[in-house]
């Protein structure tokens, strides 16, 4: 196998690796399957981490449209990544960094920068070994210090942009002992019109994998229901694996139940045995059971929350949906999220607001839907409806209050209306000279000081918090004095940046410039 003596690649890093690929179609649930496997291994006492490979040419997900790729998830170091990293953080209860997201853009950028600086000493720079070595390097460095690293390859086997990654994994397996590597292939098992589970798509998908030089050790069948015994036997026969290595991942009511389903199938025990880790694993009766207790907890009521946004797509607000669910677990209530189109507030969507127990206005960029969000803020403020504004939702609460309470006609965010007479939301003066679009972004975890005696202080139980940010505009310091005389209080700040707002004499009215939803977990909901 070609190698590069000038490579940064260290093949000794890492311990055990599970590579997860998918076939037939994208969006099957590779990430949830991998995260569920990781959750069970963590319950058994192992340190688990994950890597998500995204074969697109973007360096990161920061500029991607939510309609195409779902929400942009923000990590503690400011990395803007695929929403699957959010699932890994929630399932594994770990904080990841941008090193755990490998993209084609990142990989090629790094290799080309090294070539330009002369690091390869005149060699011809090629996919093999230079790109594949960089892919393997990134995986191993992210895995360092963990017992098991899950590596999910985005897209489906056969996608042209994914080929360098699959070649890198083939080399990876060549470098490791058999008991340190597992290949899991997630595939669709559809029903025929007469109700028969069909294995042919799986057979073709595995044939494609094997043509690349990879042999699945485990096949997980995504189906409406559990795989029937004869379906498992047929998959095993034609895909050349033991029948006990074929597992079901049927549709469930809640993704948090997937670990429970695959545990009943015995996936965790199979992985532990294949890795030779049985003696190191906690005995079944000593394994952590908090996950099961949290996600199957009894519910005694229902709360309906209106989510006012511009993307009619749950994936675009995935972390908010999930954190509302986490709060419901903690408080013993079912949370139903109702979509309210910020572009069409009247009349149908306005009625949805009236039917809701609370209103959430999420973050976003651009002008579309901002007036609908302002209208939703006004409705919640004027009618004593519990309100939570996140990032842009926080900013629109400032705009609404400036217009309708302080009487600043035409007040707006300079991001939305550059000609507003009252830019109550604006870029801070120290940002004016920054030309690079990403340079003005406030990203990642930052500390917020919280005022004692406020609602925010009651919620956090502390005088500071550390939360993740993703925004460019701030409350304009020129208007601080105008707000001081009203009922709107800035209860959290970071220097001259206002971070939390709340409204006196209101049942619950809170806005945060940061995104608390990114740090919420089952069993550990955001305050």
């Amino acid at each position: 196998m070609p190698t590069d003596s000038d490579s940064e690649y260290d093949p000794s890093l890492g311990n055990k690796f599970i590579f997860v690929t998918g076939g037939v179609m994208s969006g099957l649930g590779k990430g949830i399957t991998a995260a569920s496997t990781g959750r069970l291994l963590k319950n058994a006492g192992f340190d688990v981490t994950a890597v998500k490979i995204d074969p697109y040419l973007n360096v990161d997900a920061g500029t991607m449209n939510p309609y195409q790729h779902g929400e942009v998830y923000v990590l503690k170091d400011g990395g803007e990544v695929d929403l699957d990293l959010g699932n890994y953080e929630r399932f594994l209860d770990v904080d990841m960094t941008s090193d755990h997201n490998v993209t084609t853009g990142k990989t090629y950028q790094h290799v080309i920068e090294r070539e330009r600086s002369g690091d390869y000493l005149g060699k011809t720079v090629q996919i093999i070994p230079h790109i594949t070595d960089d892919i393997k390097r990134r995986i191993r460095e992210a895995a360092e210090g963990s017992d098991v690293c899950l590596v999910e390859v985005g897209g489906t086997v056969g996608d042209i942009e994914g080929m360098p990654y699959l070649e890198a994994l083939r080399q990876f397996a060549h470098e490791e002992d058999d008991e340190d590597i597992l290949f899991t292939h997630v595939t669709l098992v559809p029903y025929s019109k007469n109700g028969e589970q069909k294995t042919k798509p799986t057979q073709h998908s595995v044939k494609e994998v094997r043509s690349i030089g990879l042999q699945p050790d485990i096949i997980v069948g995504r189906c409406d229901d559990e795989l029937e015994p004869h379906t498992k036997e047929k998959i095993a026969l034609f895909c050349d694996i033991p029948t006990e290595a074929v597992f079901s991942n049927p549709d469930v009511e809640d993704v948090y139940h997937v670990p429970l389903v695959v545990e009943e199938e015995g996936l965790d025990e199979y992985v532990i045995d294949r890795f030779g880790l049985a003696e190191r694993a906690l005995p079944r009766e000593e394994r952590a059971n908090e996950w099961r207790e949290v996600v199957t907890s009894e519910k005694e009521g229902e709360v309906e929350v209106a989510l006012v946004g511009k993307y009619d797509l749950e994936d675009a607000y995935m972390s908010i949906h999930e954190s509302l669910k986490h709060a419901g677990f903690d408080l013993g209530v079912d949370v139903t999220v109702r979509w309210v189109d910020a572009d069409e507030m009247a009349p149908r969507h306005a009625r949805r607001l009236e039917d809701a127990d609370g209103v959430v206005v999420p973050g976003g960029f651009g002008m579309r839907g901002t007036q609908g969000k302002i209208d939703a803020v006004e409705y919640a403020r004027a009618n004593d409806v519990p309100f939570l504004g996140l990032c842009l939702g926080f900013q629109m609460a400032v705009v609404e209050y400036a217009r309708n309470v302080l009487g600043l006609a035409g007040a707006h965010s300079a991001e939305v209306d550059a000609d507003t007479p009252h830019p109550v939301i604006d870029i801070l003066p120290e940002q004016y000279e920054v030309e690079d679009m990403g340079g003005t972004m406030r990203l990642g975890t930052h500390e917020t000081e919280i005022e004692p005696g406020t609602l925010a202080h009651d919620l956090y139980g502390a005088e500071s918090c550390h939360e993740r940010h993703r925004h460019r505009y701030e409350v304009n310091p020129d208007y601080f004095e105008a707000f001081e005389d009203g009922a709107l209080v800035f209860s959290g700040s970071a220097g001259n940046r206002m971070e939390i707002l709340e409204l006196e004499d209101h049942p619950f009215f809170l806005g945060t410039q940061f995104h608390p939803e990114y740090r919420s977990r089952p069993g550990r909901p955001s305050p």
Side-chain angles (χ1 to χ4, degrees):
M1 183 177 66
T3 57
D4 175 22
S5 59
D6 301 309
S7 175
E8 304 164 297
Y9 177 54
D10 181 356
S12 68
L13 292 178
N15 197 340
K16 307 284 187 179
F17 297 88
I18 302 175
F19 296 113
V20 182
T21 57
V24 185
M25 58 181 283
S26 60
L28 272 182
K30 294 189 303 295
I32 296 297
T33 301
S36 299
T37 306
R39 177 71 251 174
L40 297 177
L41 293 173
K42 185 161 184 173
N43 289 351
F46 299 104
D47 289 325
V48 184
T49 192
V51 173
K52 173 66 191 299
I53 290 174
D54 285 305
Y56 47 66
L57 279 170
N58 305 61
V59 172
D60 60 37
T63 58
M64 298 178 80
N65 187 316
Y67 271 126
Q68 289 190 4
H69 222 69
E71 75 171 2
V72 175
Y73 188 81
V74 179
L75 301 170
K76 66 179 182 180
D77 65 353
E80 297 175 283
V81 296
D82 182 86
L83 60 80
D84 278 314
L85 272 291
N87 285 324
Y88 287 121
E89 287 207 338
R90 287 186 285 268
F91 275 69
L92 302 179
D93 196 13
V94 295
D95 288 338
M96 296 182 171
T97 68
S98 39
D99 290 340
H100 292 84
N101 190 207
V102 179
T103 70
T104 299
K106 271 187 192 177
T107 301
Y108 277 73
Q109 183 181 56
H110 180 74
V111 170
I112 290 168
E113 284 172 354
R114 291 195 67 207
E115 183 273 328
R116 291 288 84 189
S117 64
D119 288 0
Y120 298 116
L121 302 175
K123 292 179 179 175
T124 302
V125 180
Q126 297 175 287
I127 303 296
I128 303 170
H130 302 98
I131 294 298
T132 52
D133 271 4
D134 196 68
I135 293 166
K136 293 184 292 179
R137 173 186 68 82
R138 291 175 184 276
I139 293 170
R140 289 195 186 274
E141 289 178 359
E144 189 176 9
S146 63
D147 297 319
V148 181
C149 180
L150 297 146
V151 183
E152 177 196 350
V153 183
T156 59
V157 171
D159 296 343
I160 191 167
E161 61 265 33
M163 298 307 285
Y165 295 98
L166 298 175
E167 167 58 23
L169 300 193
R170 188 195 65 77
Q171 295 176 20
F172 208 111
H174 182 71
E175 297 165 4
E176 292 287 337
D177 294 333
D178 288 347
E179 64 267 23
D180 292 336
I181 293 280
L182 275 175
F183 283 98
T184 298
H185 192 59
V186 182
T187 181
L188 178 68
V189 180
Y191 281 99
S192 65
K193 286 187 176 180
N194 64 357
E196 180 187 359
Q197 291 179 341
K198 303 301 289 184
T199 66
K200 194 61 74 177
T202 300
Q203 293 177 46
H204 282 294
S205 180
V206 171
K207 183 180 179 182
E208 184 76 29
V209 175
R210 295 172 76 174
S211 72
I212 297 162
L214 305 177
Q215 168 61 49
D217 301 294
I218 293 170
I219 293 175
V220 178
R222 284 285 291 114
C223 191
D224 293 349
D225 307 294
E226 290 184 7
L227 300 184
E228 295 165 5
H230 74 270
T231 304
K232 288 186 176 184
E233 290 167 7
K234 191 171 182 181
I235 289 172
L237 174 65
F238 285 98
C239 299
D240 204 20
I241 65 171
T243 304
E244 58 267 25
V246 182
F247 296 91
S248 305
N249 186 354
D251 291 347
V252 291
E253 185 180 335
D254 190 322
V255 292
Y256 295 127
H257 292 171
V258 175
L260 313 183
V261 172
V262 295
E263 183 181 33
E264 289 169 7
E265 287 262 315
L267 178 60
D268 53 336
E269 293 301 330
Y270 189 82
V271 169
I272 289 168
D273 288 342
R274 278 296 309 269
F275 276 152
L277 294 173
E279 291 185 2
R280 286 178 52 195
L282 291 171
R284 175 69 67 182
E285 63 275 9
E286 294 179 21
R287 294 184 190 179
N289 202 37
E290 291 90 346
W291 183 273
R292 180 180 293 274
E293 292 170 357
V294 168
V295 304
T296 60
S297 57
E298 289 292 322
K299 308 293 193 303
E300 294 183 355
E302 185 174 340
V303 173
E304 189 166 304
V305 175
L307 181 64
V308 185
K310 62 181 180 180
Y311 300 110
D312 186 7
L313 180 73
E314 183 173 328
D315 279 1
Y317 305 107
M318 172 75 76
S319 292
I320 295 172
H321 274 267
E322 296 309 304
S323 38
L324 287 169
K325 200 184 293 181
H326 305 160
F329 290 152
D330 199 55
L331 298 172
V333 294
D334 275 316
V335 181
T336 302
V337 180
R338 298 294 183 206
W339 164 252
V340 177
D341 191 336
D343 279 335
E344 300 179 13
M345 285 297 290
R348 180 168 66 91
H349 287 277
R351 285 198 298 272
R352 286 193 168 195
L353 276 186
E354 294 167 9
D355 292 339
D357 299 305
V359 175
V360 173
V361 177
F365 290 89
M367 67 178 295
R368 187 168 70 83
T370 52
Q371 185 55 51
K373 292 183 177 184
I374 292 168
D375 293 343
V377 174
E378 181 181 15
Y379 170 81
R381 178 185 60 78
N383 292 281
D384 287 344
V385 175
F387 167 81
L388 178 63
L390 305 171
C391 197
L392 182 64
F394 163 92
Q395 295 176 359
M396 293 303 99
V398 172
V399 170
E400 190 278 329
Y401 192 84
R403 287 183 184 180
N404 298 326
V405 179
L406 300 184
L408 301 177
H412 218 316
S413 165
E415 178 184 20
V416 178
D417 180 5
D419 299 321
T420 174
H422 296 290
V424 291
I425 304 294
D426 202 353
I427 286 181
L428 294 184
E430 61 263 30
Q431 298 173 304
Y432 290 155
E433 301 305 316
V434 180
E435 294 181 4
D436 179 31
M437 191 172 184
T440 55
M441 287 283 278
R442 184 166 163 83
L443 285 165
T445 298
H446 297 277
E447 183 176 17
T448 294
E449 299 293 330
I450 300 174
E451 289 291 327
T454 60
L455 173 60
H457 185 264
D458 288 344
L459 292 172
Y460 278 96
E463 294 185 8
S464 69
C465 65
H466 293 80
E467 297 282 9
R468 300 179 191 178
H469 294 66
R470 185 181 184 243
H471 63 97
R472 183 172 288 112
Y473 287 73
E474 310 272 356
V475 180
N476 189 338
D478 293 345
Y479 289 87
F480 286 174
E481 194 173 324
F483 283 103
E484 283 177 359
D485 297 330
L488 190 74
V489 175
F490 291 109
S491 54
S493 61
N496 66 341
R497 300 172 186 267
M498 297 298 103
E499 294 277 358
I500 308 175
L501 65 79
E502 52 192 75
L503 195 59
E504 296 175 347
D505 303 321
H506 191 285
F508 186 94
F509 192 99
L510 193 79
T512 66
Q513 181 62 83
F514 49 76
H515 289 266
E517 68 270 23
Y518 292 141
R519 294 189 65 237
S520 182
R521 310 276 189 266
R524 189 161 58 84
S526 168

